[in-house]
Amino acid sequence: MIAKRTTLAFGLVLAGLMPVRAEPGSAEEATRLTQLFESYVGANAAGAPPKVAVAAEADGYRVTVNLEQIAAPLAVHGLKVEPAPFSIRIARTPDGLWRLFDATFPTFDATLADSRSRWSFTKPSGESLFDPALGAVTRSTVTIGRIESESQDKDGQSRASYSDYEAVSTAVAAGPDAVTLQGRDRFRDLSQSMRLAWPSELGGGSTIELGVTVASQRSEATIEALKVKPLLGIWRLLVAKGVTPEALTAAKDDLRKAVTESLPVFQRIGGNSQFDGVALQFPSGSASMSKLQFGIDLNGLVKPAGGGMTLQATDLMVKSTVIPTWVEPLIPGMIDIGFNTGGFDFDGAARALIDLVDPATAGDDQDLIPSILAEKIMPDGRFTVTLTPGRLRSSLYEVAWDGGLEVAAERVDGTITVRAIGLDKTIAALGAAKGDKIAAGALVGLYGAQALAAPDTDGALKWVVRFKPDGSILVNDNVVQKPTEEAVPEEKDDDADGDGQDGKAAKP
């Protein structure tokens, strides 16, 4: 994943490339390319090694990027990278595109405050194609035989490795200054070990050892209508003007214009990841899953906007010396949950935030910022939550649900339906845990749920939970929470004679 991001980010920097003379490479073009790249990483410090060096070759150019020098200005914040020369060859194709190939990935150390990490890459290879008109890499493939990392800080240390990494991405035009990116990656044999200091608030003086292994992983992602060129423009502007408070104040008009032009940043981002053969080791036991899946979907700074996520776990097993035996059959072996939200105005909130950070339009009362943003992001004063069909299943029970809610500041309106099989077996299992206070408390809740249940098909039980605007909650039409306030009845117009006198003074 690191390799893919590095290649894509470097490819985007090539947005200023224009058609050049046919190969072989020339010293003049190498100078122009160097100046172009420096507009993204900053000019070289006097007497320091170059941040970017471009050398003409027989069939193109070799571009070397010194990450240590690029990160040097951040040393005052505790960040240091050493040594980290990254290089790649570029060559113009007959149709005006640029081919990126023969990249080198260094072993490098990074230090941030008291944290130190090292990354190494074995057998890297790949090739990409950059389109200057789009300002994006239209096709890219990167493979790395093995990636290893280690890190250490005051709280502990970690080692990780994985093999056969592959990342593939494409990009197509999505408007005059935007592209839609699609990518996928995969790896196998992830292994990570961690040794962490026992928290001081819990006594300290010892360590916790954790381990994670994953047989394989694969993921896919799409970013729709990413505003590549405006975003690169912001980057170049910050490099040219500087990022000190004084520099940002002096450049505020240019920055405001550039940030506004970059909206909505992207239209939508969506993706999913699947991990197969997951195993975890911890001091009191272990956990495993045959499959673990995540999904995310999020709008950009648009209106209307929303987002959602999903999580699925298959064949979940947990063994621990601190878990009572009666609990084990209650742990779900299958989990499937998800939700979506809507009704937001991310565009309005983003534009309000631009106003609020601009001294010319920010106003005097900074304490009002949270309420202003809340009003902008929810212009109707409410948002929606939809529970996608979900499920939990163990050896004793199966629970499924779906529904939707409209949420406002002082009210919730909507319905959630829950169906369950195996409630009697679950109650019996809890009843066998005699004397356990947790089990006894759970039994009280399950007996209450059983009393409110309605029969459903196939021997299942069903609960239709209705949340009403007046604050009341009904379960299968049984009131379990009364209204929080008296509903205000609608006024009737009894002005049958049209004199404006319906028992009240007429309004002017």
Side-chain angles (χ1 to χ4, degrees):
M1 190 173 295
I2 291 174
K4 178 176 72 173
R5 290 173 180 166
T6 302
T7 303
L8 286 175
F10 186 78
L12 293 176
V13 171
L14 295 174
L17 289 174
M18 297 300 291
V20 297
R21 288 179 287 176
E23 306 301 351
S26 69
E28 293 82 4
E29 182 62 16
T31 299
R32 189 189 77 83
L33 293 174
T34 300
Q35 294 172 344
L36 168 66
F37 297 141
E38 286 179 350
S39 71
Y40 290 96
V41 301
N44 298 323
K51 295 178 180 178
V52 180
V54 182
E57 296 182 341
D59 57 352
Y61 302 87
R62 167 68 68 174
V63 182
T64 301
V65 181
N66 191 321
L67 300 180
E68 181 177 6
Q69 291 301 311
I70 291 175
L74 299 176
V76 295
H77 302 293
L79 177 63
K80 185 177 181 181
V81 179
E82 58 180 351
F86 166 82
S87 73
I88 192 169
R89 292 174 68 192
I90 64 173
R92 180 173 174 257
T93 66
D95 53 359
L97 304 179
W98 284 84
R99 178 177 171 237
L100 290 67
F101 60 105
D102 193 20
T104 65
F105 295 84
T107 294
F108 66 90
D109 295 317
T111 303
L112 179 61
D114 61 353
S115 175
R116 186 177 181 86
S117 60
R118 165 170 288 190
W119 292 83
S120 63
F121 309 90
T122 303
K123 295 183 178 179
S125 66
E127 184 168 324
S128 302
L129 201 60
F130 176 83
D131 186 343
L134 292 181
V137 172
T138 58
R139 186 174 70 247
S140 176
T141 300
V142 174
T143 61
I144 303 176
R146 185 172 178 83
I147 300 175
E148 297 179 298
S149 68
E150 56 183 82
S151 62
Q152 184 169 353
D153 59 23
K154 62 181 179 60
D155 296 320
Q157 59 188 26
S158 172
R159 293 177 179 270
S161 65
Y162 51 96
S163 304
D164 296 338
Y165 176 79
E166 180 186 57
V168 178
S169 66
T170 60
V172 296
D177 58 1
V179 299
T180 290
L181 302 173
Q182 289 186 312
R184 66 179 190 274
D185 67 1
R186 63 183 182 183
F187 61 77
R188 66 179 183 87
D189 299 335
L190 168 68
S191 176
Q192 182 173 10
S193 61
M194 293 164 279
R195 178 173 294 179
L196 308 176
W198 189 259
S200 58
E201 57 268 24
L202 298 179
S206 62
T207 59
I208 305 171
E209 293 191 5
L210 306 173
V212 180
T213 59
V214 177
S216 63
Q217 180 270 355
R218 61 182 182 273
S219 64
E220 296 180 348
T222 299
I223 306 177
E224 296 178 2
L226 177 67
K227 302 272 278 191
V228 175
K229 291 183 178 179
L231 291 173
L232 287 173
I234 295 174
W235 183 359
R236 293 182 66 175
L237 181 61
L238 292 173
V239 170
K241 302 293 186 180
V243 293
T244 64
E246 297 78 13
L248 293 175
T249 299
K252 67 180 182 64
D253 291 338
D254 291 336
L255 281 171
R256 182 187 180 104
K257 181 175 183 294
V259 171
T260 301
E261 290 176 348
S262 73
L263 298 179
V265 183
F266 60 88
Q267 287 289 330
R268 172 189 166 272
I269 183 170
N272 60 80
S273 294
Q274 177 174 314
F275 301 82
D276 295 314
V278 181
L280 299 90
Q281 299 288 331
F282 44 88
S284 66
S286 63
S288 63
M289 289 165 278
S290 65
K291 185 184 300 182
L292 178 63
Q293 296 172 286
F294 296 98
I296 187 170
D297 196 293
L298 181 67
N299 288 126
L301 303 179
V302 299
K303 176 186 179 181
M309 66 160 292
T310 59
L311 167 67
Q312 293 94 30
T314 305
D315 298 327
L316 171 63
M317 295 182 63
V318 180
K319 298 290 184 181
S320 174
T321 56
V322 300
I323 296 179
T325 54
W326 63 266
V327 173
E328 291 184 4
L330 299 174
I331 298 174
M334 192 280 293
I335 301 173
D336 185 353
I337 59 178
F339 67 89
N340 292 306
T341 63
F344 297 107
D345 181 2
F346 292 166
D347 174 74
R351 295 180 188 276
L353 184 59
I354 292 172
D355 287 338
L356 292 169
V357 299
D358 186 341
T361 55
D364 298 326
D365 193 347
Q366 297 296 301
D367 293 336
L368 293 177
I369 290 179
S371 61
I372 292 173
L373 291 179
E375 181 179 347
K376 293 294 184 180
I377 203 170
M378 288 192 298
D380 296 329
R382 60 184 183 271
F383 65 93
T384 61
V385 178
T386 301
L387 301 180
T388 57
R391 188 167 46 154
L392 296 176
R393 184 174 63 208
S394 80
S395 59
L396 296 177
Y397 63 82
E398 180 171 337
V399 180
W401 63 85
D402 59 67
L405 302 172
E406 184 179 81
V407 183
E410 298 180 356
R411 66 175 182 83
V412 177
D413 186 9
T415 301
I416 296 175
T417 301
V418 181
R419 298 173 179 83
I421 296 174
L423 182 59
D424 52 344
K425 294 180 180 179
T426 305
I427 289 175
L430 289 170
K434 300 184 182 301
D436 190 284
K437 293 182 179 180
I438 297 177
L443 273 173
V444 172
L446 290 182
Y447 280 134
Q450 190 178 47
L452 292 170
D456 199 17
T457 57
D458 301 327
L461 299 176
K462 181 172 70 173
W463 298 263
V464 178
V465 186
R466 176 75 171 95
F467 298 83
K468 302 184 72 173
D470 61 6
S472 62
I473 302 176
L474 286 71
V475 177
N476 291 336
D477 295 327
N478 298 294
V479 177
V480 296
Q481 178 172 299
K482 294 181 178 180
T484 55
E485 61 184 23
E486 292 296 329
V488 179
E490 294 184 3
E491 293 184 359
K492 294 178 63 177
D493 183 7
D494 295 327
D495 182 19
D497 57 7
D499 64 355
Q501 305 297 315
D502 56 352
K504 300 179 182 178
K507 294 182 181 180

